[in-house]
Amino acid sequence: MDPVTSRRWLRVLAFAAAALCTMVVTMTATARDTVVSAAFYQSVLDEESAYDRLYDQVLVDPKVSAVTRDLLAGLPVPEAVLTSNVKLVLPPETVRELTHEQIDAVVGYLNGDRDSLVLNVDLRPVLTNINDLAQIYFGDLVASVQNRAEPDFDAFSTDLSAALRDVVAGRAPATLPALPLSEEQAATAAERVLSTLPEQDRAALRDDIEVALADGDIATVLATVAPVAVSERTTDATARLRTLAGGNGWNLEKTLEASGNDLTALHRARAYTALGLGIVEIVAAALLVAALVVLWLTTSAAPGRRPMLLGWALAAGGLLTALVAVLVRVVSGGRVISPPGSWPPSLTRLVDDLQRTAVDDMVAAALYTALVPLIAGALLAGFGWALQVRPSLRTAAPYARVVAVGTCAVTLAGVVLVPLVASPSAARRCQGSVRLCDRPYDEVAYLTSHNAMSTTVDRFIGPLQDPAITTQLDDGVRALQLDTYRWEKPDEITARLTESDFSADQRTLIAGAVNKVNPPREGLWLCHAVCRAGAIQLVPELREIGDWMRDHPTDVLTLIVQDAITAEDTAKAFTQAGLSDLVYTPDPDPAEPWPTLGDMIDSGRRLVVFAEQADGPEAWYRNFYRYGMETPFAFRSPDEMSCVPHRGGTGKRLFLLNHFITADGGSRLDAGEVNTREYVLDRVDRCERERGRPVNFIAIDYTTIGDAGAAVDALNARRG
């Protein structure tokens, strides 16, 4: 073969190699920022609102109900209680964390960091939550039953046994017995109650039951005993969940294989991705440079000829990338797995939408990246063509090499960097939402726990919440109403009880405990009106709140303190709890705009603290009613709920909606009505029209009842 022919063939091979290497660099750069990027998959889930759809569509799909009923059959908690509190059994944060674990497993497998693909969901948190909900349920079952005095201990014991049988059977007893017990009688009654439990569980519960009996707190006795008494039923039902999943862990890969989806495409992809996309990208880029150099050296030196040929090679590579990306989309149809017909329609739609969005986003990223060599190549070819047809431009011919080198360098850099911009990544989240980072603090709605410290789990008399404070935060509460006190002296009890919202029976119970089982204690406390009705230490609880906030760095939290201690004592408690670096200082002028949640999170100052009485002296500790207004709070029935101005007057930037019923204490039954999503939204709409400001704090009793959290989510979504 003569030298001219050899040169021509070498030029053809260099052109083809340049085009192919351009495609490889483009595709590997795209794959690096999509296929093997955990942030990409997380962004797809957010783009399709997957977590919201799980609760709002999949778990309420009629096609799921048959399976759900079979799995839940035998649990001591009624199906309606589980399904209405599904976010307690399966919290959104737990779902997100478990999903991210599976994403990390897939990405690790594709990257070659893991030898095998194991998609395993740990069911233990869910099973634990079911047991916890059982405790709350039994507490609810007996909470509203009024005490009835018994004439003697034998009658008391008989009625206590009958009440326990009712609760274990899932029925609320008509009444609960009441009788002041001596220590000996309390011990005897405790033995009778414990005899109904499995022997291995008695020792752990003995002290709690004896103390509750000595306090006359029969409701707590039953709520403590009932879940253990029905543990065999709970064990049988949760065993069905374990059987379905194959143990405490649910292997999703085996489930998919059983449905005919063996993830073959994923395993095939790993054969390439596990080699290291970065290495392939570097080698392809080096070969591209070499091919372009050969193409330049084997091409005629005629004006414009070399840059034009290099431009066409780059453009051909970009065009080839675009064709491959479109072909992948057409052939795959936007699917990697095919949901079987046995899946409920809502789950099939969700999986199909996620697959389609993922494939479309990958194709879009590839097309955007392909534009870089296509446009750069077209410009370089155009430059060469101009040198050929315009003799007046040939004075620029000596610079053709500089232009060609510069264009190729920019093309390589663009191909590497464009996927970072073109491919979606996990969106920034504030307050758990991608929508709220740019929203001012005073335009956001917050689920607010009224008397957050008064909980069933902390053994308060007449509790207004069930879970502990940090559990409330886990469940979506983002504002806490807390009451700070010093332990009352005996002569202060009568006055405090008279002013409290306790029922007559509760007041009698508390008064009887004075200096007997609840002597005064030093220090600062979180109490509900009277510390003898229940108390938790202020500083340790604040420290736990701070730990929670540090574990959740993208959340803003508000405390509204009903302060019966001095502002100086409050400031000292916050310092001792280590919260000084978290507290946010509002503008001294309440009329000034608030920053966005994103700005507060970026600053690290994301704990807003208001007082009902104090105003300073610390700059971060401001009086709520200078900045905010509220509705009345002493509603005795849902029909009484109004939007009329109360403390704080009108026209303030912050708006507190007191949304709970107080009728001789909190009302669980009314909470079931007023805490529904529709009821909350209707009242918010009415009050916003009447008061001319968006509602910020929706304060409710019993945050685990109803779905006020969904109402808050809906408000924040539509305000965007």
Side-chain angles (χ1 to χ4, degrees), residues 624 627-630 647-652 654-656 691 693:
F624 178 79
Y627 293 80
M629 57 188 180
E630 70 172 357
R647 291 175 296 184
T650 60
K652 302 294 175 59
L654 299 177
F655 189 178
L656 166 62
R691 302 289 290 274
R693 283 292 302 172

Side-chain angles (χ1 to χ4, degrees), residues 52 433 435-436 439 443-445 657 677-689 693-695 698 710-720:
D52 292 336
S433 171
R435 306 183 183 97
L436 298 182
R439 194 83 57 81
E443 293 180 13
V444 178
L657 187 78
R677 181 181 185 275
E678 293 74 16
Y679 200 104
V680 172
L681 289 176
D682 286 346
R683 185 167 179 236
V684 167
D685 290 342
R686 176 160 49 93
C687 291
E688 289 183 344
R689 288 194 302 269
R693 283 292 302 172
V695 166
I698 302 174
V712 170
D713 292 341
L715 284 172
N716 286 326
R718 74 188 190 189
R719 287 177 185 175

Side-chain angles (χ1 to χ4, degrees), residues 616-640:
E618 297 292 339
W620 52 264
Y621 192 42
R622 304 266 56 115
N623 185 278
F624 178 79
Y625 299 107
R626 283 185 56 213
Y627 293 80
M629 57 188 180
E630 70 172 357
T631 64
F633 55 81
F635 304 119
R636 297 186 63 83
S637 71
D639 293 338
E640 293 181 12

Side-chain angles (χ1 to χ4, degrees), residues 347-619:
L347 181 58
T348 298
R349 285 193 300 270
L350 178 57
V351 171
D352 281 343
D353 289 347
L354 288 172
Q355 293 184 92
R356 187 189 64 253
T357 298
V359 173
D360 287 348
D361 286 349
M362 282 189 283
V363 170
L367 292 177
Y368 279 120
T369 308
L371 285 176
V372 175
L374 188 60
I375 293 174
L379 291 175
L380 188 58
F383 173 70
W385 175 79
L387 290 178
Q388 286 183 338
V389 301
R390 299 289 296 274
S392 61
L393 295 177
R394 290 179 183 174
T395 56
Y399 301 103
R401 183 180 301 172
V402 175
V403 172
V405 171
T407 302
C408 293
V410 170
T411 300
L412 275 173
V415 166
V416 172
L417 296 176
V418 164
L420 293 173
V421 179
S423 61
S425 58
R428 184 186 185 193
R429 307 181 72 83
C430 297
Q431 218 76 336
S433 171
V434 297
R435 306 183 183 97
L436 298 182
C437 291
D438 296 326
R439 194 83 57 81
Y441 171 84
D442 59 331
E443 293 180 13
V444 178
Y446 307 92
L447 180 62
T448 304
S449 174
H450 174 238
N451 282 323
M453 69 287 153
S454 178
T455 69
T456 302
V457 72
D458 287 308
R459 312 292 288 274
F460 275 66
I461 295 174
L464 297 177
Q465 305 296 338
D466 286 315
I469 286 178
T470 51
T471 305
Q472 295 174 41
L473 297 177
D474 288 337
D475 294 339
V477 169
R478 290 298 176 268
L480 302 169
Q481 291 182 303
L482 302 172
D483 298 358
T484 56
Y485 283 92
R486 287 186 180 277
W487 205 274
E488 63 277 349
K489 298 176 182 178
D491 56 0
E492 297 173 328
I493 287 290
T494 302
R496 285 204 193 176
L497 284 177
T498 301
E499 297 170 358
S500 73
D501 55 7
F502 290 117
S503 67
D505 289 337
Q506 289 169 340
R507 291 175 187 173
T508 301
L509 176 61
I510 296 166
V514 175
N515 286 336
K516 184 177 179 182
V517 294
N518 256 335
R521 305 177 194 174
E522 293 297 322
L524 305 176
W525 299 81
L526 292 172
C527 310
H528 179 208
V530 180
C531 290
R532 284 176 174 80
I536 50 180
Q537 288 184 293
L538 175 60
V539 172
E541 195 64 32
L542 290 178
R543 191 174 292 120
E544 287 194 20
I545 291 173
D547 291 343
W548 185 93
M549 291 191 69
R550 291 184 176 89
D551 289 339
H552 298 78
T554 62
D555 284 285
V556 174
L557 184 62
T558 303
L559 306 183
I560 302 176
V561 181
Q562 180 178 314
D563 46 329
I565 63 175
T566 67
E568 290 76 12
D569 283 341
T570 301
K572 187 182 299 182
F574 273 72
T575 300
Q576 291 174 347
L579 300 181
S580 299
D581 62 324
L582 290 173
V583 290
Y584 174 80
T585 300
D587 193 286
D589 183 358
E592 284 296 307
W594 284 78
T596 65
L597 295 188
D599 289 340
M600 296 174 72
I601 290 167
D602 290 341
S603 73
R605 302 286 180 170
R606 49 195 178 87
L607 176 61
V608 183
V609 187
F610 290 115
E612 288 193 0
Q613 304 296 329
D615 189 31
E618 297 292 339

